[in-house]
């Protein structure tokens, strides 16, 4: 998609009124010129050859309407206080309308006022002084006699004047045919917001829209004007960005002072660029800093880049985090804080801070400020620039020649040539021993299949004086970029250990540590170690090494394997597994008075929704963005709140409760029939616990914990299907350390007493990837059993799933182990990360297929999907401004793959049989005498499901 400009908006955004207009004001020639054209009898529809380009009498021109032919559903379109949906041509909705229809069309229904219709924001794609031609193919349906008017209208919002509405054109439409609506408009003044929409028929009459085209009469002129606007806006978002005009437009946040300097520290600190810089001094809070209001100079749903040059000074602090933050005040006076980016700054040099942000709602006030270091430390700012984010072209799929799947890249893995190819890392000694296992470790065996026995020889590492000492091998020239490699080995430790020992297979990639897998050893047996890695940027040097036991402890390593993983081969196996556990045989049995006439009739079965839970994390600000809400409601059926139910959010200071955000989000989910998980009641990691809780004595903390349980679960009783009771207990112990070992089980017991309808989960990370010994499946099982022995009603196992370069066999091994507990397992926070969208999509496919194919998995929650609103970079499926990337397309393709379709004829027994996924279906039966449409639901079950269809 081409780059769209913001078109010189330098005035504050107006507050959008919830009260809708009742009639249009008279056309104002000063603001816009409009020339309507009525072609009521023209049956020819606008034929769209491309989503963005049409051929017109003025030559080739760009269509500024996004998704003009509804081929992407309702993407970028929004119903105005009514409802809308997309209908394909072959579905023949409504009866008798446009029998020659081609492609999709939108149906706007539940209209209670004539002005209700379908709209699209075109603010960033129009400019002043240019003439735009409008052509739309429209129709009507519903309770009307004769015809009804359909109008094209432009709504213009201004800061200092009332919203105005301008008539573009109209046509008279009837139920028998599509009509063309045409008109033109010209903007002579710049609004804060321009919205195009179609409206007009009487209440109760559905409005049908097949295509909309808006083109500029002089495309090159329009592009030039928009390009000029971009430059003006980019330069005007931050006023006086380099302090060339002193401290004009800048102020100190929270009462701190800002001072202009040409140098500091006896001339040791000078500007990196320009002649001056500013400092925020006399800071008494971490959030004190330098700020500028940018209200009206940034627009909602547009992405902006932020670049600042910063450093710190004073208070004997040599390094500190410096952060750019947005303070946003909503029209209803609610405060939002958006972290843009942060950087580790020093007192030695200037550093660049870079980030990106997007506003979901229409703000009343926006302030950007720099904050972060401890009180008493000055923040120095040389420049701060905000500009529209450039559209980044999608990444190309990586081309990997001869991937050599399953081929071990390790030299002399079997030690047939002594230790040739290996070298000691550090002053340890390498030798060769015998007696190691002759079979591959299980996870590698699952990947490689039948394999020659191992030699039984192993590397013996002695005289180790440092933890990192062990066998190493250079593999720089053997790796291919973007290939996922599985790591496997047998490891064992010698005698003398005083406690459990951590053994790690690691890689040094240009001196950057990469984790290839870890295992904890507390006996003298051989242990499997497995993991994975991928390199996405060409390295100059890559070294493999094995490390871990305490100094003085001998290390034994056998059968080291590093090989590329064939994901496609694994997918074939998973497809067979999915068919077994996610589908069911269905027999449609036709009965009733008309059943005999239906024998031999044609049956068409289409699944409308898979009942398997696919959910996502959402946050409060996102639900102000209708594009986000539309995508979320269409493609997910479960939700979890990222922060808004956590204790530090609902009670950041003692006694001041905030449930408004969670209430709003819950209301949205209820409206769209989306189930919700409660995340989380407590969080065991101390850094996540608010300071007022950390300051409580034992008795007061016990009271606070009880109040938290009572307040949260009583308020939302029956509304959250799950709760993560105490998050990440394998990685933290704040409450257990202060309140005793039984406090965790008591949290579960009390939660169950307060809301017995909710399933109570444990929830932790790195369970499935082999890279964290604290949360390996064995430790997780031990933890859950310990809770159950104390009477905790643990009802589900949460695996967060923040994973890199996943290997299906490793993930499946963890699920198999946890499955022995017989509890439902959910991926609760799944995300994958890669700069390359295609690779990211491949990683996501691995995780979704593995989860969907495993009988113990009962739901998958993504930890977000929209850029700038996820905890990890390069993990999004939808870009900030709503474009679906390659990873998002992979997700949608899998959702489609897991919907069943079938067709055929009713047999002589009056039955139709097929095998389909669990979920909701529609059924169409057509015979010579009639056509019948029915719906039915397929539940889980091992035996064939007989569905009686009364015809």
């Amino acid at each position: 998609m081409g780059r769209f400009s913001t078109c010189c908006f330098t005035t504050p955004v107006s507050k959008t009124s919830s009260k809708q207009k009742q009639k249009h004001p008279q056309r104002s020639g000063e603001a816009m010129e409009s020339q309507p054209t009525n072609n009521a009898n023209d049956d020819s529809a606008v034929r769209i050859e491309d989503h963005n380009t049409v051929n017109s009498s003025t030559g080739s021109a760009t269509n500024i309407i996004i998704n003009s032919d509804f081929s992407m559903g309702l993407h970028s379109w929004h119903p105005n206080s009514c409802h809308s949906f997309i209908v394909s041509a072959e579905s023949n909705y409504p009866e008798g309308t446009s029998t020659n229809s081609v492609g999709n069309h939108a149906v706007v229904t539940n209209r209670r006022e004539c002005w209700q219709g379908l709209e699209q924001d075109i603010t960033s794609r129009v400019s002043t002084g240019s003439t735009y031609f409008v052509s739309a193919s429209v129709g009507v349906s519903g309770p009307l006699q004769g015809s009804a008017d359909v109008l094209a209208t432009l709504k213009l919002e201004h800061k200092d004047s009332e919203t105005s509405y301008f008539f573009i054109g109209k046509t008279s439409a009837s139920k028998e045919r599509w009509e063309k609506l045409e008109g033109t408009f010209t903007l002579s003044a710049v609004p804060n917001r321009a919205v195009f929409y179609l409206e007009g028929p009487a209440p109760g009459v559905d409005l049908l829209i097949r295509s909309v085209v808006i083109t500029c009469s002089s495309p090159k002129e329009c592009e030039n004007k928009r390009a000029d606007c971009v430059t003006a806006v980019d330069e005007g978002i931050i006023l006086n960005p380099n302090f060339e005009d002193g401290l004009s437009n800048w102020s100190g946040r929270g009462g701190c002072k800002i001072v202009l300097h040409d140098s500091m520290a006896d001339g040791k600190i000078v500007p990196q660029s320009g002649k001056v810089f500013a400092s925020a001094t006399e800071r008494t809070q971490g959030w004190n800093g330098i700020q500028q209001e940018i209200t009206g100079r940034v627009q909602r749903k547009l992405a902006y880049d932020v670049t600042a040059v910063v450093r710190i000074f004073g208070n004997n602090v040599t390094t500190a985090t410096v952060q750019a933050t947005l303070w946003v005040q909503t029209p209803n006076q609610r405060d939002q804080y958006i972290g843009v980016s942060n950087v580790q700054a020093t007192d030695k040099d200037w550093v660049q801070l870079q980030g990106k942000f997007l506003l979901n709602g229409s703000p009343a006030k926006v302030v950007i400020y720099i904050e972060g270091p401890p009180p008493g430390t000055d923040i120095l700012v040389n420049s701060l620039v905000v500009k529209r984010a450039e559209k980044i072209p999608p990444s190309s799929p990586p081309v990997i020649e001869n991937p050599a799947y399953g081929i071990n890249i390790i030299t002399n893995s079997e030690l047939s040539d002594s230790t040739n190819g290996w070298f000691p890392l550090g002053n340890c000694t390498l030798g060769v021993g015998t007696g190691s296992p002759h079979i591959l470790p299980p996870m590698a065996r699952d990947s490689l299949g039948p394999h020659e026995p191992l030699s039984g020889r192993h590397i013996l590492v002695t005289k180790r004086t440092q933890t990192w000492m062990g066998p190493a091998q250079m593999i720089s020239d053997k790796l291919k970029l973007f290939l996922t490699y599985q790591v496997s080995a047998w490891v064992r430790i010698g005698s003398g250990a005083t406690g459990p020992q951590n053994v790690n297979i690691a890689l040094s990639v240009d001196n950057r540590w990469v984790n290839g897998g870890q295992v904890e050893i507390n006996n003298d047996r051989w242990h499997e170690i497995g993991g994975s890695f991928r390199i996405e940027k060409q390295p100059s040097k890559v070294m493999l090494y094995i490390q871990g036991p305490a100094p003085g402890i001998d290390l034994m390593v056998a059968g080291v394997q590093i090989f590329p993983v064939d994901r496609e081969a694994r997918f074939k196996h998973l497809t067979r597994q999915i068919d077994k556990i996610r589908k069911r045989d269905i027999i449609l049995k036709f009965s009733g008075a008309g059943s005999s006439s239906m024998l031999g009739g044609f049956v068409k079965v289409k699944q409308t929704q898979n009942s398997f839970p696919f959910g996502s994390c959402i946050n409060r600000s996102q639900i102000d963005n209708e594009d986000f809400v539309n995508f979320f409601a269409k493609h997910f059926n479960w939700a979890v709140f990222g922060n808004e139910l956590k204790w530090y959010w609902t009670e950041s200071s003692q006694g001041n409760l905030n449930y408004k955000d969670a209430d709003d989000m819950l209301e949205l989910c209820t409206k769209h029939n989306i189930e919700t998980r409660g995340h989380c009641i407590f969080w065991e990691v101390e850094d996540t616990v608010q300071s007022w809780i950390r300051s409580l004595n034992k008795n007061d903390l016990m009271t606070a914990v009880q109040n938290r349980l009572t307040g949260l679960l009583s308020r939302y009783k029956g509304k959250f299907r799950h709760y993560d009771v105490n998050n990440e207990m394998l990685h933290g112990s704040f409450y257990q350390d202060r309140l005793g070992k039984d406090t965790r089980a008591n949290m579960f017991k009390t939660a169950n007493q307060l809301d017995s309808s909710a399933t109570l989960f444990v929830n932790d990370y790195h369970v499935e990837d082999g890279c964290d010994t604290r949360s390996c499946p064995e430790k997780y099982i031990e933890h859950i059993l310990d809770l159950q022995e104390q009477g905790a009603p643990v009802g589900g196992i949460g695996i967060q799933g923040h994973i890199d370069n996943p290997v299906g066999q490793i993930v499946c091994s963890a699920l198999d182990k946890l499955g022995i507990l017989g509890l439902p397992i959910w991926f609760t926070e799944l995300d994958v990360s890669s700069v390359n969208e295609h690779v990211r999509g491949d990683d996501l496919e691995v995780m979704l297929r593995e989860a969907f194919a495993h009988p113990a998995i009962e739901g998958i929650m993504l930890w977000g999907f929209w850029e700038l609103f996820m905890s990890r970079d390069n993990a999004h499926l939808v870009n900030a401004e709503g474009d679906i990337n390659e990873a998002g397309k992979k997700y949608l393709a899998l959702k489609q793959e897991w919907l069943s379709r079938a067709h055929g004829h009713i047999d002589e027994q009056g039955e139709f049989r097929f095998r389909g996924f669990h979920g909701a279906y529609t059924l169409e039966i057509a015979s010579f005498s009639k056509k019948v449409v029915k719906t039915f639901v397929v539940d889980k079950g091992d035996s064939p499901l007989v569905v009686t269809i009364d015809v």
Side-chain angles (χ1 to χ4, degrees):
M1 182 179 294
R3 186 177 188 273
F4 291 132
S5 69
T6 54
C7 226
C8 305
F9 294 129
T10 57
T11 54
V13 177
S14 63
K15 301 178 184 179
T16 303
S17 172
S18 60
K19 183 178 180 181
Q20 302 293 331
K21 64 185 175 72
Q22 298 303 312
K23 62 180 181 179
H24 300 306
Q26 294 296 313
R27 179 169 62 90
S28 170
E30 292 181 358
M32 188 188 79
E33 296 177 1
S34 177
Q35 298 173 356
T37 302
N38 188 349
N39 290 329
N41 297 318
D42 187 351
D43 187 43
S44 60
V46 178
R47 297 296 298 273
I48 306 299
E49 306 297 336
D50 182 272
H51 294 320
N52 298 99
T53 303
V54 298
N55 291 322
S56 69
S57 59
T58 58
S60 180
T62 299
N63 183 9
I64 68 170
I65 290 293
I66 298 172
N67 186 25
S68 60
D69 60 355
F70 304 100
S71 59
M72 293 185 287
L74 285 169
H75 174 63
S76 296
W77 291 97
H78 311 292
N80 185 0
S81 303
C82 51
H83 297 102
S84 61
F85 58 90
I86 298 300
V87 173
S88 59
E90 58 268 20
S91 65
N92 195 30
Y93 176 93
E95 296 289 345
T97 299
S98 186
T99 56
N100 64 341
S101 177
V102 177
N104 298 337
H105 64 271
V107 178
V108 187
T109 188
N110 289 351
R111 301 177 60 255
R112 297 178 300 278
E113 301 286 348
C114 63
W115 47 261
Q116 292 176 342
L118 200 63
E119 67 180 29
Q120 184 171 138
D121 190 326
I122 59 172
T123 310
S124 62
R125 304 190 293 279
V126 292
S127 54
T128 58
S130 299
T131 299
Y132 292 89
F133 293 94
V134 178
S135 181
S137 179
V138 297
V140 292
S141 177
L144 79 159
Q145 298 293 327
S147 61
D149 285 344
V150 177
L151 287 70
T153 304
L154 195 64
K155 177 172 72 171
L156 302 177
E157 297 178 359
H158 307 272
K159 175 195 174 186
D160 298 319
S161 60
E162 292 184 359
T163 297
S164 55
Y165 300 88
F166 292 93
F167 169 69
I168 296 172
K170 74 174 181 177
T171 189
S172 182
S174 62
K175 290 196 289 186
E176 285 74 29
R177 60 198 305 170
W178 291 102
E179 307 291 355
K180 182 188 287 187
L181 187 161
E182 292 187 327
T184 65
F185 67 87
T186 303
L187 291 177
S188 57
V190 178
N192 281 84
R193 190 165 178 249
V195 178
F196 169 85
Y197 63 100
L198 293 161
E199 58 172 335
V205 177
D206 290 353
L207 170 60
L208 314 181
I209 308 167
R210 191 165 66 171
S211 62
V212 181
V213 176
I214 301 180
T215 58
C216 182
S217 59
S218 302
K220 289 185 178 179
E221 180 185 346
C222 291
E223 286 300 318
N224 291 337
K225 288 180 179 178
R226 288 202 297 268
D228 292 342
C229 289
V230 170
T231 302
V233 170
D234 286 353
E235 292 179 352
I237 295 176
I238 293 294
L239 305 179
N240 188 25
N242 302 303
F243 307 101
E244 294 174 350
D245 192 20
L247 296 174
S248 175
N249 299 107
W250 295 98
S251 62
R253 184 168 187 81
C256 69
K257 294 183 178 179
I258 57 171
V259 181
L260 196 67
H261 306 269
D262 54 13
S263 68
M264 286 179 65
D266 297 325
K268 294 178 182 177
I269 300 176
V270 295
Q272 185 185 77
S273 62
K275 297 179 180 180
V276 293
F277 60 90
S279 70
T281 189
E282 298 184 23
R283 300 174 57 252
T284 59
Q285 303 289 336
W287 49 267
N288 293 157
I290 188 167
Q291 67 178 5
Q292 183 171 139
E293 182 174 348
I294 56 175
T295 309
R297 302 197 292 273
V298 287
Q299 308 298 311
R300 67 186 296 255
K301 301 198 296 184
L302 298 180
Y304 294 90
D305 284 326
V306 176
T307 305
V309 176
V310 299
R311 65 189 292 171
I312 59 172
F313 176 77
N315 201 28
N316 294 318
V317 176
T318 59
T319 180
T321 299
V322 174
Q323 176 170 312
T325 304
L326 283 183
W327 170 58
V328 179
Q329 190 175 64
T330 65
N332 59 1
Q333 303 299 303
R334 294 173 66 181
D335 292 340
Q336 296 176 346
Y337 294 89
I338 302 173
V340 177
S341 184
N342 63 72
V343 69
Q344 203 65 21
T346 73
D347 64 345
K348 300 293 188 296
D349 297 294
W350 293 99
V351 295
Q352 190 172 78
L353 183 156
Q354 289 183 301
K356 193 173 178 181
F357 71 85
L358 176 139
L359 301 175
N360 286 301
S362 297
K365 191 172 184 179
V366 185
V367 174
I368 188 168
Y369 62 99
I370 306 294
E371 60 170 334
T377 302
D378 293 352
I379 303 173
L380 313 186
V381 181
N382 191 194
S383 64
L384 174 60
V385 176
V386 176
K387 62 181 181 179
R388 273 294 309 275
E390 293 284 348
K391 291 281 187 180
I392 300 174
S395 47
S396 301
V399 178
I400 304 172
E401 297 181 358
N402 186 26
Y405 295 125
I407 303 301
N408 190 10
I409 67 171
I410 294 298
T411 299
N412 192 24
S413 173
E414 296 296 282
L415 305 174
S416 56
D417 189 15
S418 187
T419 58
N420 183 44
W422 297 90
F423 61 88
L425 188 62
N427 295 322
C428 57
T429 300
L430 304 187
V432 176
T434 59
S436 58
H438 286 268
I439 60 172
L440 283 174
M443 287 183 286
R445 195 161 64 243
D446 289 343
S447 295
L448 296 173
H451 199 276
E452 292 292 324
L454 300 180
S455 67
R457 292 185 287 270
H458 62 267
I459 301 173
L460 175 62
V461 191
T462 57
K463 299 181 181 179
R464 299 177 61 257
T465 59
Q466 299 291 334
T467 300
W468 48 264
M469 289 184 178
Q473 184 170 135
M474 301 304 300
I475 58 174
S476 311
D477 58 344
K478 299 177 182 178
L479 298 171
K480 293 181 182 289
L481 296 184
F482 294 108
L483 263 183
T484 300
Y485 288 88
Q486 184 170 342
V487 179
S488 176
W490 288 110
V491 292
R492 182 181 173 188
I493 60 173
S495 59
T498 57
Q501 302 293 308
N502 219 2
V503 177
N504 169 227
I505 295 182
L507 295 99
S508 175
V509 182
D510 289 341
N511 298 317
R512 177 175 60 90
W513 179 76
V514 174
N515 190 354
Q518 296 188 55
V519 67
E520 186 180 87
I521 301 176
N522 55 10
N523 53 44
D524 61 356
R525 296 197 298 269
W526 288 95
H527 290 257
E528 175 185 17
I529 187 169
S532 64
F533 69 91
R534 181 175 57 235
I535 296 175
E536 298 189 1
K537 184 178 179 181
Q538 186 62 52
S540 59
K541 184 176 71 172
V542 181
M543 178 181 69
L544 167 81
Y545 61 104
I546 298 97
Q547 61 171 347
I553 306 297
D554 292 347
L555 172 63
M556 289 158 271
V557 181
V560 180
Q561 299 267 337
I562 295 183
F563 55 90
V565 177
D566 187 351
R567 289 174 162 180
E568 291 296 330
R570 174 73 176 175
F571 290 165
K572 294 177 182 178
H573 163 72
L574 295 177
T575 298
R576 294 190 292 270
Q577 288 294 107
I578 287 170
D579 187 85
K580 290 179 182 177
I581 69 169
R582 303 296 178 196
K583 285 185 174 181
R584 187 175 184 182
D585 289 325
I586 301 117
I587 304 171
L588 301 181
K589 199 172 192 65
F590 298 91
S591 64
S595 60
S596 58
S597 65
M598 303 299 288
L599 294 179
F602 185 75
V603 175
K604 183 179 178 182
V605 177
K606 182 179 180 181
Q607 188 172 11
T608 56
Q609 186 175 29
N610 193 308
S611 59
F612 187 86
F614 287 99
S616 175
C617 165
I618 62 175
N619 66 52
R620 174 59 187 83
S621 72
Q622 285 179 303
I623 70 174
D624 294 329
N625 185 335
E626 57 271 26
D627 293 338
F628 172 86
V629 171
N630 289 342
F631 188 97
F632 169 63
K634 182 176 181 180
H635 299 298
F636 298 95
N637 53 18
W638 276 70
V640 61
F641 304 166
N643 291 301
E644 290 77 1
L645 213 65
K646 291 172 181 170
W647 198 0
Y648 64 63
W649 191 280
T650 62
E651 195 176 4
S652 59
S653 59
Q654 189 169 11
N656 295 319
L657 298 176
N658 167 33
Y659 288 114
K660 174 61 176 170
D661 294 329
D663 289 348
D664 291 348
M665 297 165 75
L666 195 59
E667 180 182 0
L668 175 85
C669 293
T670 302
K671 175 182 176 182
H672 292 282
N673 296 315
I674 292 171
E675 300 282 4
T676 49
R677 301 191 77 250
H679 176 80
C680 52
I681 304 176
F682 301 102
W683 197 344
E684 192 70 280
V685 177
E686 183 166 356
D687 288 347
T688 69
V689 178
Q690 55 270 55
S691 58
W692 72 265
I693 295 176
R694 292 200 299 267
S695 68
L696 298 176
N697 61 40
K698 181 177 180 179
N699 288 336
D700 289 343
L701 180 59
M702 290 180 67
T703 300
V705 165
Q706 181 61 47
N707 290 342
R708 162 68 171 172
L709 283 161
T710 303
L712 181 71
L713 278 87
S714 298
R715 179 185 184 89
Y716 293 116
K717 185 173 184 178
K719 294 182 179 180
F720 288 99
R721 291 278 300 276
H722 299 170
Y723 279 107
D724 296 326
V725 176
N726 192 358
N727 198 39
E728 298 174 2
M729 289 181 278
L730 297 174
H731 289 91
S733 56
F734 173 82
Y735 296 100
Q736 180 173 268
D737 290 346
R738 287 156 180 77
L739 300 179
K741 189 177 187 304
D742 60 349
T743 191
R744 292 173 167 179
N746 288 337
M747 288 173 174
F748 276 84
K749 294 175 186 177
T750 305
N752 184 59
Q753 291 168 1
L754 290 166
D755 188 353
S756 60
S757 68
T759 303
L760 305 181
F761 275 70
V762 291
N763 194 50
D764 228 302
Y765 61 92
H766 283 326
V767 178
E768 76 293 338
D769 57 10
C771 70
D772 188 342
T773 58
R774 290 173 297 179
S775 53
C776 64
E778 291 80 6
K779 287 281 185 70
Y780 211 11
I781 291 169
E782 181 182 341
H783 168 64
I784 294 166
L785 291 174
D786 183 53
L787 285 170
Q788 290 178 327
E789 287 173 1
Q790 296 179 69
V794 179
I797 302 172
I799 302 175
Q800 291 183 10
H802 303 292
I803 192 169
D804 293 310
N805 33 267
V807 171
Q809 289 83 349
I810 296 174
V811 174
C812 184
S813 174
L815 297 178
D816 287 344
K817 292 172 182 176
L818 292 170
I820 66 172
L821 294 175
L823 294 172
I825 303 173
W826 282 57
F827 277 105
T828 55
E829 303 180 17
L830 178 62
D831 58 22
V832 296
S833 176
S834 172
V835 174
N836 188 293
E837 297 171 6
H838 296 270
V839 175
R840 191 187 316 160
D842 291 344
D843 283 355
L844 183 62
E845 182 175 11
V846 169
M847 295 305 296
L848 294 179
R849 288 192 185 276
E850 289 293 339
F852 200 53
H854 201 283
I857 293 290
E858 295 195 5
I860 302 170
M861 306 291 295
L862 303 186
W863 200 240
F865 59 88
W866 201 277
E867 185 184 13
L868 303 184
F869 297 92
M870 301 187 68
S871 60
R872 288 214 288 172
D873 292 335
N874 303 311
H876 57 280
L877 311 186
V878 181
N879 298 340
E881 295 182 6
D883 302 319
I884 302 171
N885 62 29
E886 294 300 326
K889 292 174 184 176
K890 183 64 66 73
Y891 170 76
L892 297 182
L894 287 172
K895 289 290 298 295
Q896 282 297 313
E897 180 181 325
W898 296 330
L899 292 174
S900 296
R901 295 170 180 81
H903 63 271
H905 294 274
I906 300 173
D907 63 21
E908 295 177 353
Q909 286 74 44
E911 297 177 349
F912 177 75
R913 298 168 181 257
F914 73 101
R915 184 170 177 80
F917 290 105
H918 310 136
Y921 287 81
T922 60
L923 166 67
E924 292 183 7
I925 317 112
S927 70
F928 293 111
S929 59
K930 61 180 176 178
K931 179 180 178 181
V932 179
V933 178
K934 297 283 187 178
T935 61
F936 62 94
V937 174
V938 175
D939 296 320
K940 295 180 181 179
D942 296 326
S943 60
L945 174 67
V946 178
V947 180
T948 302
I949 306 294
D950 186 3
V951 293

